[in-house]
Amino acid sequence: DAKTTQPNSMESNEEEPVHLPCNHSTISGTDYIHWYRQLPSQGPEYVIHGLTSNVNNRMASLAIAEDRKSSTLILHRATLRDAAVYYCILRGTGNQFYFGTGTSLTVIP
Amino acid sequence: DTEVTQTPKHLVMGMTNKKSLKCEQHMGHRAMYWYKQKAKKPPELMFVYSYEKLSINESVPSRFSPECPNSSLLNLHLHALQPEDSALYLCASRRPTGGSGGYTFGSGTRLTVV
């Protein structure tokens, strides 16, 4: 399964944009890029996913590099409730997710 | 209903006990999963069921026994566990065929083995 690499931790000030990077240099043509986040004492929750084009939803935006070897999750205005571990996951033709180590986001008031 | 419900939320069991974790979803998802998560680590895949049949077992010890009695229910039977099996056990589900869809996770069962 293709691997993802993320920084262990990042900090952001409240109400400022946050850019969370993910490298996936071994991505295959059929792998979708998924982002999930996990708040303390909860299960992971879906944030956004994409294949080739940039994607927007009410939670975030996903910017995918043209060669698809990296992507960036963008939170437009970080709030304290966005403090969580963010996982970048590649899902191919198989049924399963394999999680990488994720980025722990701290939001500073 | 867009949730995956896991019960119990907390469980303490002795090493000689037998207990079961339960997971339920009514979204019509036909793929269901068990993950194990140790503190400050990412979830690790344990088992995958597709259309009620076990399709992946990630070399999990036999003291963990999964069961999928119907398309809405997934159980994890526990027997003779060790203290190192203490962890958060997460259940997830998704539509298994095609598309790009992701998973819906439950909130987990926090298991402590004493």
Side-chain angles (χ1 to χ4, degrees), chain B residues 51 74 91 99 111:
Chain B
Y51 293 95
L74 185 67
C91 174
L111 174 68

Side-chain angles (χ1 to χ4, degrees), chain B residues 4-19:
Chain B
V4 172
T5 303
Q6 290 189 244
T7 54
K9 294 199 180 305
H10 301 273
L11 178 63
V12 179
M13 61 184 292
M15 289 188 284
T16 58
N17 291 159
K18 287 185 180 181
K19 296 287 184 182

Side-chain angles (χ1 to χ4, degrees), chain A:
Chain A
D1 297 284
K3 300 284 188 201
T4 62
T5 304
Q6 299 176 253
N8 286 334
S9 62
M10 292 185 64
E11 286 186 352
S12 173
N13 293 320
E14 194 176 10
E15 298 193 3
E16 291 189 356
V18 183
H19 290 232
L20 298 166
C22 181
N23 287 323
H24 29 77
S25 58
T26 59
I27 192 170
S28 73
T30 55
D31 285 341
Y32 282 84
I33 302 160
H34 287 254
W35 284 82
Y36 278 68
R37 71 181 187 181
Q38 188 173 20
L39 280 66
S41 300
Q42 294 189 25
E45 67 172 342
Y46 170 80
V47 178
I48 201 167
H49 76 282
L51 183 62
T52 56
S53 304
N54 294 344
V55 184
N56 300 297
N57 66 22
R58 63 175 180 81
M59 290 181 70
S61 296
L62 176 60
I64 301 173
E66 197 168 335
D67 63 5
R68 300 206 331 122
K69 292 184 186 300
S70 65
S71 61
T72 302
L73 177 69
I74 302 163
L75 307 179
H76 296 287
R77 288 177 71 243
T79 70
L80 297 179
R81 289 176 295 180
D82 292 322
V85 178
Y86 286 78
Y87 294 102
C88 167
I89 308 165
L90 300 183
R91 189 180 80 75
T93 53
N95 245 346
Q96 54 277 13
F97 275 176
Y98 290 95
F99 285 78
T101 53
T103 296
S104 179
L105 176 66
T106 300
V107 180
I108 302 167

Side-chain angles (χ1 to χ4, degrees), chain A residues 38-44, chain B residues 6 8-11 21 34-44 46 64 76 84-91 105-112:
Chain A
Q38 188 173 20
L39 280 66
S41 300
Q42 294 189 25
Chain B
Q6 290 189 244
K9 294 199 180 305
H10 301 273
L11 178 63
L21 309 184
W34 282 114
Y35 283 83
K36 173 183 178 179
Q37 186 175 26
K38 302 282 278 185
K40 299 191 184 302
K41 297 291 187 183
E44 297 177 3
M46 299 175 71
F64 295 91
L76 186 62
E84 59 264 30
D85 296 321
S86 299
L88 180 68
Y89 288 84
L90 293 162
C91 174
F105 282 85
S107 296
T109 294
R110 188 160 300 280
L111 174 68
T112 303

